[in-house]
Structure formats: structure tokens, C-alpha cells
Amino acid sequence: MISGSLRVTRIAGIDIRVHVSWFLIAALFFYLNFETFSFDLPLIPSERIVLAAATTLLFFASVLLHELSHSIVARRFRLPVHSITLFLFGGVSNLRREPDTARAEFLMAAVGPFTSFVLSGSFWLLREVARQTLVGIPGEAVPYMLEQLSFINLALGVFNLLPGFPLDGGRVLRSALWALRRDRRWATRVATRGGQAVAGLLALWGIYQFVTDPRGGVLGGTWTLLIAFFLFNAASASYRQEQFEDSLRRVNVGTLMTRDLVSVPVDMEVESLIGSYVLPMRARSFVVERDGRPIGVVSLADLRRVPRDQWRSRRVGDVMLSLEKVPALQPNDDARRGMDVLSRTESGEAPVMDDGRVVGLFERDVVFEYLRMRDELGLR
Ligand SMILES: [Zn+2]
């Protein structure tokens, strides 16, 4: 999730968040509309405020609808969307994982620009209707407002179709390459390079705006450079994420899990566990038992969260991860599914069960250690 955002509402189980950069855009957008609404019509300030605010809100709703369309299609393919963040240049739908097929990716990506084009057309039609029905001041300003919204949605659709991952157009490109060669990793590499290339071209365009129009170009140029910067970063991060997931898909939970867990009783003090087991045995994960039956697991990560002055007062049972609370993994699940499960729990660990027995613990720390080792050995 992107930091620096706040949750404004929840629609159909999806958190709608607004990033701080959005407020900047909304303020700028409001101001520009406030200024332009009086070009042709003698509007009074209060009318200009209402019109500019309405335009800003409808712009906000348009971006939100674009993102919601992605989410609706994602859900059809059973890809859970946990939040939508409205951001500097549009929105980001935060999926828990990437689509599994090229077709799912294509439909999910294409529906966004499609929605923006439909909105653009609808605002244009409304403008025609408003032009014929509304008379007088300030009614005559409404068609102008609708025209603005039509253009903005058109621009939003076109911009998102640029072939640079993670823009929608980049996803469409990836899905096509993926279907063509059946090699998702290669498709991602090409599409994210596309993202970096689009970012580079945008940066050049931004500089051009600065140079050719020293006064008006500053705002537009800064804006374009900012978008280029974010797109470049997002493309690079997407590529690293793909590499990361790819490495995880090749190894299973059984290989990475911590085995031979020592069993400890549920009422043992945290201090005894650390003093008698963790340090002398350098053991990092334990099965917690009550009356000889496993009821939970506890790891170094859980113990780290207990403040030093509570080691004597807290028991293993207070800090453990209860087996009922986490979905169990199987040894032959791939590690990517393992990380999926971890992302749904706060704890960074999940028990691995086989035949009703806890056979190991799958830990985020260990996964990262494994990936670091691969990296050090030059394995990709
Ligand atoms: Zn989109």
C-alpha cells in the first residue's frame, strides 16, 4: 500500500483511500476551474465556487469509477481487491496478487480506459442536452462544465492506454505478449521497459514545455515531470516484484519452512522460553501445546514484540499465534501461495500442517533470508 493516504469511505468491501497528493491536484483543479468559469459569463464568485466544486467532485467520481471498473472485473476472476487509492495522476487498485492468466489481465486492464471513454461520451451527450435546455446565468455555465469533464475523461482514457506497465496500456501489452509467448516473465520485462520508456518520453515532453513556454509551461512541465518520475519508479518496482514472485513460485513451502519445532507448554513464561530454549538452543520457532495437543505456534518474531519488562508477566499462550486464526499451509504449496497467506495475517508466519500435525513454520524472515542468499549467489 502507498503510504501517506487516508481512508475516505468503503464501497462494496473495498477501502477507498485518498493519497495526500490527490488534495494538491483537487485544489489545483478547483482553482483552474474557478478561474476559467468567468471567461465568457458574468458569474458572481459564489456561483463560480459552486461550479468549480461540482466539476472537481465529478472529476473525482470519474477517476473512482475508472478504478472501480478494474475492481469489478478483478473480482470476477477471484482476485481480491482490498483498496483503491486515488493518487496524483489517477488511481491505483491494490490487488493482493497479480492475475493468473493473460485473458484475465487483458480484461481487467482494458475495462479502465473503456470506462473513461464511456464517461467521456456520456458527459458530451449531457452537454448537448444542457445546451438546449438550460438558459440564463449561471445555467449556461453547465455545458462548459460538462465539456471539461468530457475532455478530462478522454485524456484519462488515452493516457492510461500508453503502453508502459503499470499503466493500463502496459498491462494490455503484457497480456498480449504473455498470450503470444506463454512467458509471463519475459512479457513483464518488456512491458516494464515500456513503462520506463514512456516515462523517459514524458520527461522529455516536460522539459520541452519548460523551454518553449517559460511562463505557462512551468505548471504543465512540472506536472509532466512528476508523472514521468512516478511512472518510472512504478515500472521499476513492478519488475522487481515480478522477479520476486517468480523466485517464490519455484520453491515450495516444505523446503523453506523451519522444521523440527520444539514443543513448549502454553503456560510457560516468555522469560523461560527465551532463557532455556531460544538462546541456548538457538531455536526460533516452537509448537505451543496444551495437554499434549498443539494449539499454536510461537516464533522469534512474536517474542520480539514483547517488551523486556513483560517477559516475566506474559506467558507463551499470550503471544502465540493460535492455530485457529491462520489458514494452514501444506508442505507442497508453492512459496508464493505461502506469502499470500502471510499477507493476510499480521504475524509474518503460518504453521505448516500435514495429517493434522504441525510439521513446520513458514516465516517471512526466512523467506527473505532465502531470497537474499539466492541474490548473493548470483541466482535469479
Ligand atoms: Zn486504470
Side-chain angles (χ1 to χ4, degrees):
M1 191 188 299
I2 303 153
S3 61
S5 62
L6 19 132
R7 208 185 88 166
V8 286
T9 181
R10 200 172 157 83
I11 299 174
I14 301 166
D15 279 347
I16 310 297
R17 308 183 69 91
V18 172
H19 188 254
V20 281
S21 62
W22 176 267
F23 291 105
L24 197 75
I25 300 318
L28 187 69
F29 192 81
F30 175 84
Y31 173 74
L32 289 175
N33 276 295
F34 179 77
E35 286 292 294
T36 47
F37 267 121
S38 55
F39 275 177
D40 303 321
L41 296 166
L43 296 170
I44 56 170
S46 62
E47 289 164 351
R48 287 162 67 190
I49 289 174
V50 170
L51 283 164
T55 315
T56 309
L57 275 175
L58 286 168
F59 172 46
F60 176 87
S62 299
V63 176
L64 192 58
L65 279 172
H66 173 116
E67 290 307 317
L68 279 172
S69 74
H70 287 308
S71 306
I72 289 163
V73 177
R75 281 202 172 163
R76 290 231 134 203
F77 290 99
R78 294 169 190 280
L79 293 162
V81 182
H82 62 101
S83 66
I84 287 174
T85 308
L86 294 187
F87 192 46
L88 194 62
F89 56 96
V92 189
S93 296
N94 302 301
L95 292 175
R96 279 214 180 94
R97 58 193 171 86
E98 293 276 314
D100 297 316
T101 62
R103 187 170 156 267
E105 165 128 78
F106 174 81
L107 292 173
M108 243 177 74
V111 73
F114 176 76
T115 304
S116 294
F117 292 142
V118 169
L119 283 168
S120 173
S122 309
F123 280 123
W124 190 260
L125 280 177
L126 283 173
R127 166 191 180 265
E128 293 304 309
V129 174
R131 261 200 339 179
Q132 283 159 25
T133 49
L134 298 174
V135 283
I137 314 287
E140 280 171 26
V142 172
Y144 174 75
M145 175 178 98
L146 295 168
E147 187 180 301
Q148 290 276 301
L149 288 161
S150 176
F151 281 139
I152 279 170
N153 276 294
L154 183 68
L156 210 63
V158 170
F159 172 72
N160 274 293
L161 274 182
L162 292 177
F165 197 90
L167 294 177
D168 297 335
R171 288 183 176 277
V172 168
L173 173 67
R174 175 168 86 164
S175 69
L177 296 173
W178 184 2
L180 202 70
R181 268 222 215 165
R182 313 212 168 273
D183 181 351
R184 179 192 152 115
R185 198 175 178 188
W186 169 77
T188 305
R189 194 160 55 226
V190 176
T192 50
R193 285 272 177 263
Q196 291 172 335
V198 169
L201 289 173
L202 280 173
L204 286 177
W205 165 243
I207 292 164
Y208 177 81
Q209 283 171 296
F210 264 113
V211 175
T212 52
D213 182 7
R215 273 202 292 157
V218 173
L219 189 65
T222 310
W223 177 241
T224 313
L225 284 175
L226 217 56
I227 292 175
F229 172 77
F230 275 103
L231 182 60
F232 191 86
N233 276 334
S236 311
S238 300
Y239 182 57
R240 283 195 301 275
Q241 175 70 20
E242 174 67 20
Q243 257 188 334
F244 167 77
E245 292 202 355
D246 200 56
S247 309
L248 290 179
R249 240 179 259 127
R250 295 168 196 215
V251 59
N252 64 30
V253 164
T255 313
L256 291 185
M257 71 185 184
T258 313
R259 292 161 181 280
D260 302 324
L261 307 181
V262 177
S263 298
V264 295
V266 66
D267 54 1
M268 180 183 264
E269 280 171 13
V270 167
E271 178 154 284
S272 317
L273 178 68
I274 292 171
S276 322
Y277 289 87
V278 176
L279 295 173
M281 297 168 69
R282 274 168 303 285
R284 47 180 302 139
S285 320
F286 303 88
V287 176
V288 182
E289 291 187 342
R290 175 182 286 141
D291 307 326
R293 282 217 336 273
I295 58 162
V297 286
V298 73
S299 73
L300 205 57
D302 301 316
L303 297 174
R304 270 205 299 263
R305 285 192 283 267
V306 185
R308 178 74 182 84
D309 60 341
Q310 291 177 19
W311 283 13
R312 302 207 65 166
S313 57
R314 311 276 301 265
R315 312 242 160 203
V316 169
D318 306 329
V319 299
M320 73 173 186
L321 179 67
S322 162
L323 287 187
E324 290 162 5
K325 279 202 186 145
V326 274
L329 288 163
Q330 311 278 314
N332 56 3
D333 286 332
D334 75 38
R336 192 181 70 120
R337 168 163 148 71
M339 290 303 268
D340 255 9
V341 167
L342 294 192
S343 72
R344 268 175 270 155
T345 61
E346 300 275 294
S347 62
E349 67 197 23
V352 185
M353 309 282 290
D354 196 13
D355 259 351
R357 284 183 319 118
V358 181
V359 291
L361 192 66
F362 185 71
E363 297 169 87
R364 185 179 287 138
D365 291 358
V366 175
V367 175
F368 285 122
E369 177 64 29
Y370 165 82
L371 291 172
R372 203 160 38 238
M373 279 171 93
R374 278 187 70 96
D375 207 44
E376 280 171 20
L377 291 166
L379 295 167
R380 283 273 147 174

mmCIF file of all heavy atoms in Angstrom, residues 251-282:
data_model
loop_
_atom_site.group_PDB
_atom_site.id
_atom_site.type_symbol
_atom_site.label_atom_id
_atom_site.label_comp_id
_atom_site.label_asym_id
_atom_site.label_seq_id
_atom_site.Cartn_x
_atom_site.Cartn_y
_atom_site.Cartn_z
ATOM 1 N N VAL A 251 9.851 -22.525 -5.565
ATOM 2 C CA VAL A 251 10.268 -23.255 -4.372
ATOM 3 C C VAL A 251 9.018 -23.532 -3.549
ATOM 4 O O VAL A 251 8.060 -22.752 -3.579
ATOM 5 C CB VAL A 251 11.330 -22.433 -3.592
ATOM 6 C CG1 VAL A 251 10.799 -21.095 -3.170
ATOM 7 C CG2 VAL A 251 11.846 -23.191 -2.394
ATOM 8 N N ASN A 252 8.984 -24.673 -2.840
ATOM 9 C CA ASN A 252 7.769 -24.914 -2.069
ATOM 10 C C ASN A 252 7.956 -24.651 -0.580
ATOM 11 O O ASN A 252 9.067 -24.503 -0.077
ATOM 12 C CB ASN A 252 7.143 -26.273 -2.387
ATOM 13 C CG ASN A 252 8.035 -27.429 -2.008
ATOM 14 O OD1 ASN A 252 8.815 -27.334 -1.074
ATOM 15 N ND2 ASN A 252 7.920 -28.519 -2.749
ATOM 16 N N VAL A 253 6.814 -24.574 0.066
ATOM 17 C CA VAL A 253 6.765 -24.249 1.486
ATOM 18 C C VAL A 253 7.578 -25.241 2.320
ATOM 19 O O VAL A 253 8.297 -24.860 3.239
ATOM 20 C CB VAL A 253 5.279 -24.196 1.941
ATOM 21 C CG1 VAL A 253 5.149 -24.253 3.444
ATOM 22 C CG2 VAL A 253 4.595 -22.969 1.369
ATOM 23 N N GLY A 254 7.500 -26.518 1.929
ATOM 24 C CA GLY A 254 8.212 -27.551 2.679
ATOM 25 C C GLY A 254 9.719 -27.328 2.709
ATOM 26 O O GLY A 254 10.387 -27.633 3.695
ATOM 27 N N THR A 255 10.261 -26.782 1.618
ATOM 28 C CA THR A 255 11.700 -26.538 1.553
ATOM 29 C C THR A 255 12.111 -25.380 2.454
ATOM 30 O O THR A 255 13.171 -25.408 3.072
ATOM 31 C CB THR A 255 12.113 -26.201 0.101
ATOM 32 O OG1 THR A 255 11.520 -27.148 -0.760
ATOM 33 C CG2 THR A 255 13.613 -26.209 -0.075
ATOM 34 N N LEU A 256 11.255 -24.362 2.503
ATOM 35 C CA LEU A 256 11.633 -23.151 3.230
ATOM 36 C C LEU A 256 11.214 -23.145 4.696
ATOM 37 O O LEU A 256 11.676 -22.331 5.474
ATOM 38 C CB LEU A 256 11.013 -21.919 2.554
ATOM 39 C CG LEU A 256 11.565 -21.539 1.185
ATOM 40 C CD1 LEU A 256 10.932 -20.248 0.717
ATOM 41 C CD2 LEU A 256 13.073 -21.364 1.251
ATOM 42 N N MET A 257 10.320 -24.060 5.072
ATOM 43 C CA MET A 257 9.791 -23.979 6.438
ATOM 44 C C MET A 257 10.852 -24.353 7.479
ATOM 45 O O MET A 257 11.805 -25.083 7.195
ATOM 46 C CB MET A 257 8.576 -24.897 6.595
ATOM 47 C CG MET A 257 8.917 -26.364 6.579
ATOM 48 S SD MET A 257 7.421 -27.372 6.612
ATOM 49 C CE MET A 257 8.155 -29.006 6.708
ATOM 50 N N THR A 258 10.678 -23.835 8.662
ATOM 51 C CA THR A 258 11.523 -24.218 9.785
ATOM 52 C C THR A 258 10.970 -25.540 10.315
ATOM 53 O O THR A 258 9.784 -25.650 10.612
ATOM 54 C CB THR A 258 11.453 -23.142 10.881
ATOM 55 O OG1 THR A 258 11.623 -21.862 10.269
ATOM 56 C CG2 THR A 258 12.509 -23.348 11.942
ATOM 57 N N ARG A 259 11.867 -26.550 10.394
ATOM 58 C CA ARG A 259 11.411 -27.888 10.791
ATOM 59 C C ARG A 259 11.753 -28.181 12.244
ATOM 60 O O ARG A 259 12.371 -27.374 12.904
ATOM 61 C CB ARG A 259 12.132 -28.950 9.951
ATOM 62 C CG ARG A 259 11.741 -28.934 8.533
ATOM 63 C CD ARG A 259 12.796 -29.663 7.710
ATOM 64 N NE ARG A 259 12.404 -29.616 6.311
ATOM 65 C CZ ARG A 259 11.505 -30.426 5.778
ATOM 66 N NH1 ARG A 259 10.929 -31.360 6.495
ATOM 67 N NH2 ARG A 259 11.177 -30.306 4.509
ATOM 68 N N ASP A 260 11.405 -29.391 12.653
ATOM 69 C CA ASP A 260 11.775 -29.900 13.978
ATOM 70 C C ASP A 260 11.503 -28.884 15.065
ATOM 71 O O ASP A 260 12.387 -28.485 15.811
ATOM 72 C CB ASP A 260 13.268 -30.282 14.002
ATOM 73 C CG ASP A 260 13.586 -31.318 12.940
ATOM 74 O OD1 ASP A 260 12.718 -32.190 12.712
ATOM 75 O OD2 ASP A 260 14.663 -31.236 12.338
ATOM 76 N N LEU A 261 10.255 -28.423 15.122
ATOM 77 C CA LEU A 261 9.912 -27.424 16.119
ATOM 78 C C LEU A 261 9.872 -28.084 17.491
ATOM 79 O O LEU A 261 9.356 -29.186 17.655
ATOM 80 C CB LEU A 261 8.542 -26.821 15.812
ATOM 81 C CG LEU A 261 8.352 -26.260 14.402
ATOM 82 C CD1 LEU A 261 6.953 -25.668 14.271
ATOM 83 C CD2 LEU A 261 9.393 -25.205 14.081
ATOM 84 N N VAL A 262 10.438 -27.403 18.464
ATOM 85 C CA VAL A 262 10.400 -27.892 19.845
ATOM 86 C C VAL A 262 9.022 -27.548 20.409
ATOM 87 O O VAL A 262 8.485 -26.475 20.125
ATOM 88 C CB VAL A 262 11.508 -27.206 20.670
ATOM 89 C CG1 VAL A 262 11.453 -27.648 22.127
ATOM 90 C CG2 VAL A 262 12.874 -27.513 20.068
ATOM 91 N N SER A 263 8.450 -28.478 21.177
ATOM 92 C CA SER A 263 7.142 -28.196 21.776
ATOM 93 C C SER A 263 7.316 -27.589 23.157
ATOM 94 O O SER A 263 8.167 -28.024 23.931
ATOM 95 C CB SER A 263 6.334 -29.489 21.910
ATOM 96 O OG SER A 263 6.111 -30.014 20.625
ATOM 97 N N VAL A 264 6.521 -26.567 23.431
ATOM 98 C CA VAL A 264 6.556 -25.943 24.760
ATOM 99 C C VAL A 264 5.135 -25.825 25.298
ATOM 100 O O VAL A 264 4.189 -25.687 24.517
ATOM 101 C CB VAL A 264 7.234 -24.552 24.724
ATOM 102 C CG1 VAL A 264 8.703 -24.648 24.361
ATOM 103 C CG2 VAL A 264 6.520 -23.606 23.773
ATOM 104 N N PRO A 265 4.960 -25.879 26.631
ATOM 105 C CA PRO A 265 3.612 -25.767 27.195
ATOM 106 C C PRO A 265 3.083 -24.332 27.134
ATOM 107 O O PRO A 265 3.849 -23.382 27.192
ATOM 108 C CB PRO A 265 3.788 -26.220 28.648
ATOM 109 C CG PRO A 265 5.224 -26.015 28.950
ATOM 110 C CD PRO A 265 5.971 -26.158 27.659
ATOM 111 N N VAL A 266 1.756 -24.216 27.031
ATOM 112 C CA VAL A 266 1.091 -22.930 26.825
ATOM 113 C C VAL A 266 1.310 -21.951 27.978
ATOM 114 O O VAL A 266 1.304 -20.735 27.780
ATOM 115 C CB VAL A 266 -0.425 -23.163 26.528
ATOM 116 C CG1 VAL A 266 -1.135 -23.757 27.750
ATOM 117 C CG2 VAL A 266 -1.104 -21.894 26.069
ATOM 118 N N ASP A 267 1.525 -22.495 29.213
ATOM 119 C CA ASP A 267 1.632 -21.580 30.354
ATOM 120 C C ASP A 267 3.075 -21.217 30.719
ATOM 121 O O ASP A 267 3.331 -20.644 31.767
ATOM 122 C CB ASP A 267 0.895 -22.170 31.570
ATOM 123 C CG ASP A 267 1.377 -23.574 31.890
ATOM 124 O OD1 ASP A 267 2.301 -24.069 31.171
ATOM 125 O OD2 ASP A 267 0.843 -24.197 32.826
ATOM 126 N N MET A 268 4.032 -21.543 29.856
ATOM 127 C CA MET A 268 5.432 -21.187 30.135
ATOM 128 C C MET A 268 5.629 -19.666 30.039
ATOM 129 O O MET A 268 5.047 -19.013 29.173
ATOM 130 C CB MET A 268 6.335 -21.896 29.117
ATOM 131 C CG MET A 268 7.822 -21.615 29.309
ATOM 132 S SD MET A 268 8.795 -22.417 28.013
ATOM 133 C CE MET A 268 9.248 -23.902 28.859
ATOM 134 N N GLU A 269 6.454 -19.119 30.962
ATOM 135 C CA GLU A 269 6.738 -17.680 30.898
ATOM 136 C C GLU A 269 7.600 -17.379 29.673
ATOM 137 O O GLU A 269 8.462 -18.181 29.319
ATOM 138 C CB GLU A 269 7.544 -17.243 32.127
ATOM 139 C CG GLU A 269 6.721 -17.035 33.368
ATOM 140 C CD GLU A 269 7.626 -16.817 34.583
ATOM 141 O OE1 GLU A 269 8.838 -16.581 34.403
ATOM 142 O OE2 GLU A 269 7.104 -16.897 35.702
ATOM 143 N N VAL A 270 7.398 -16.197 29.104
ATOM 144 C CA VAL A 270 8.205 -15.789 27.956
ATOM 145 C C VAL A 270 9.692 -15.795 28.328
ATOM 146 O O VAL A 270 10.545 -16.231 27.554
ATOM 147 C CB VAL A 270 7.754 -14.400 27.448
ATOM 148 C CG1 VAL A 270 8.761 -13.811 26.463
ATOM 149 C CG2 VAL A 270 6.377 -14.498 26.791
ATOM 150 N N GLU A 271 9.987 -15.352 29.568
ATOM 151 C CA GLU A 271 11.386 -15.303 30.000
ATOM 152 C C GLU A 271 12.032 -16.695 30.004
ATOM 153 O O GLU A 271 13.178 -16.850 29.568
ATOM 154 C CB GLU A 271 11.494 -14.670 31.393
ATOM 155 C CG GLU A 271 12.934 -14.648 31.888
ATOM 156 C CD GLU A 271 13.200 -13.532 32.889
ATOM 157 O OE1 GLU A 271 13.311 -12.378 32.430
ATOM 158 O OE2 GLU A 271 13.264 -13.800 34.098
ATOM 159 N N SER A 272 11.289 -17.705 30.472
ATOM 160 C CA SER A 272 11.851 -19.063 30.484
ATOM 161 C C SER A 272 12.067 -19.564 29.066
ATOM 162 O O SER A 272 13.062 -20.233 28.783
ATOM 163 C CB SER A 272 10.915 -20.055 31.182
ATOM 164 O OG SER A 272 10.400 -19.499 32.349
ATOM 165 N N LEU A 273 11.122 -19.258 28.185
ATOM 166 C CA LEU A 273 11.258 -19.716 26.802
ATOM 167 C C LEU A 273 12.546 -19.152 26.183
ATOM 168 O O LEU A 273 13.323 -19.880 25.572
ATOM 169 C CB LEU A 273 10.037 -19.272 25.981
ATOM 170 C CG LEU A 273 10.066 -19.656 24.493
ATOM 171 C CD1 LEU A 273 9.954 -21.164 24.314
ATOM 172 C CD2 LEU A 273 8.947 -18.967 23.733
ATOM 173 N N ILE A 274 12.765 -17.850 26.414
ATOM 174 C CA ILE A 274 13.953 -17.219 25.842
ATOM 175 C C ILE A 274 15.222 -17.751 26.515
ATOM 176 O O ILE A 274 16.190 -18.118 25.847
ATOM 177 C CB ILE A 274 13.849 -15.682 25.952
ATOM 178 C CG1 ILE A 274 12.732 -15.183 25.024
ATOM 179 C CG2 ILE A 274 15.178 -15.008 25.597
ATOM 180 C CD1 ILE A 274 12.362 -13.738 25.173
ATOM 181 N N GLY A 275 15.166 -17.833 27.872
ATOM 182 C CA GLY A 275 16.359 -18.238 28.632
ATOM 183 C C GLY A 275 16.718 -19.709 28.481
ATOM 184 O O GLY A 275 17.892 -20.064 28.466
ATOM 185 N N SER A 276 15.727 -20.578 28.367
ATOM 186 C CA SER A 276 16.042 -22.012 28.359
ATOM 187 C C SER A 276 16.000 -22.633 26.966
ATOM 188 O O SER A 276 16.516 -23.724 26.767
ATOM 189 C CB SER A 276 15.051 -22.795 29.223
ATOM 190 O OG SER A 276 14.710 -22.093 30.364
ATOM 191 N N TYR A 277 15.332 -21.986 26.033
ATOM 192 C CA TYR A 277 15.202 -22.600 24.709
ATOM 193 C C TYR A 277 15.830 -21.754 23.598
ATOM 194 O O TYR A 277 16.706 -22.216 22.894
ATOM 195 C CB TYR A 277 13.717 -22.847 24.375
ATOM 196 C CG TYR A 277 13.095 -23.942 25.182
ATOM 197 C CD1 TYR A 277 12.544 -23.672 26.434
ATOM 198 C CD2 TYR A 277 13.042 -25.256 24.710
ATOM 199 C CE1 TYR A 277 11.956 -24.686 27.192
ATOM 200 C CE2 TYR A 277 12.459 -26.267 25.451
ATOM 201 C CZ TYR A 277 11.916 -25.974 26.688
ATOM 202 O OH TYR A 277 11.343 -26.968 27.416
ATOM 203 N N VAL A 278 15.333 -20.493 23.499
ATOM 204 C CA VAL A 278 15.747 -19.681 22.347
ATOM 205 C C VAL A 278 17.262 -19.495 22.322
ATOM 206 O O VAL A 278 17.931 -19.848 21.349
ATOM 207 C CB VAL A 278 15.035 -18.306 22.345
ATOM 208 C CG1 VAL A 278 15.545 -17.441 21.197
ATOM 209 C CG2 VAL A 278 13.519 -18.495 22.243
ATOM 210 N N LEU A 279 17.825 -18.947 23.417
ATOM 211 C CA LEU A 279 19.262 -18.643 23.399
ATOM 212 C C LEU A 279 20.144 -19.878 23.430
ATOM 213 O O LEU A 279 21.012 -20.027 22.567
ATOM 214 C CB LEU A 279 19.599 -17.649 24.512
ATOM 215 C CG LEU A 279 18.950 -16.263 24.322
ATOM 216 C CD1 LEU A 279 19.172 -15.373 25.541
ATOM 217 C CD2 LEU A 279 19.462 -15.594 23.059
ATOM 218 N N PRO A 280 19.949 -20.828 24.399
ATOM 219 C CA PRO A 280 20.856 -21.993 24.426
ATOM 220 C C PRO A 280 20.743 -22.875 23.177
ATOM 221 O O PRO A 280 21.736 -23.413 22.703
ATOM 222 C CB PRO A 280 20.410 -22.775 25.665
ATOM 223 C CG PRO A 280 19.378 -21.994 26.337
ATOM 224 C CD PRO A 280 18.980 -20.842 25.492
ATOM 225 N N MET A 281 19.526 -23.022 22.642
ATOM 226 C CA MET A 281 19.358 -23.948 21.519
ATOM 227 C C MET A 281 19.385 -23.235 20.173
ATOM 228 O O MET A 281 19.359 -23.880 19.123
ATOM 229 C CB MET A 281 18.024 -24.700 21.649
ATOM 230 C CG MET A 281 17.940 -25.579 22.880
ATOM 231 S SD MET A 281 16.252 -26.161 23.175
ATOM 232 C CE MET A 281 16.032 -27.267 21.813
ATOM 233 N N ARG A 282 19.417 -21.906 20.239
ATOM 234 C CA ARG A 282 19.289 -21.083 19.032
ATOM 235 C C ARG A 282 18.098 -21.557 18.171
ATOM 236 O O ARG A 282 18.155 -21.631 16.961
ATOM 237 C CB ARG A 282 20.590 -21.062 18.233
ATOM 238 C CG ARG A 282 21.528 -19.971 18.744
ATOM 239 C CD ARG A 282 22.916 -20.069 18.224
ATOM 240 N NE ARG A 282 23.558 -21.345 18.518
ATOM 241 C CZ ARG A 282 24.033 -21.697 19.718
ATOM 242 N NH1 ARG A 282 23.934 -20.875 20.747
ATOM 243 N NH2 ARG A 282 24.604 -22.855 19.903
#
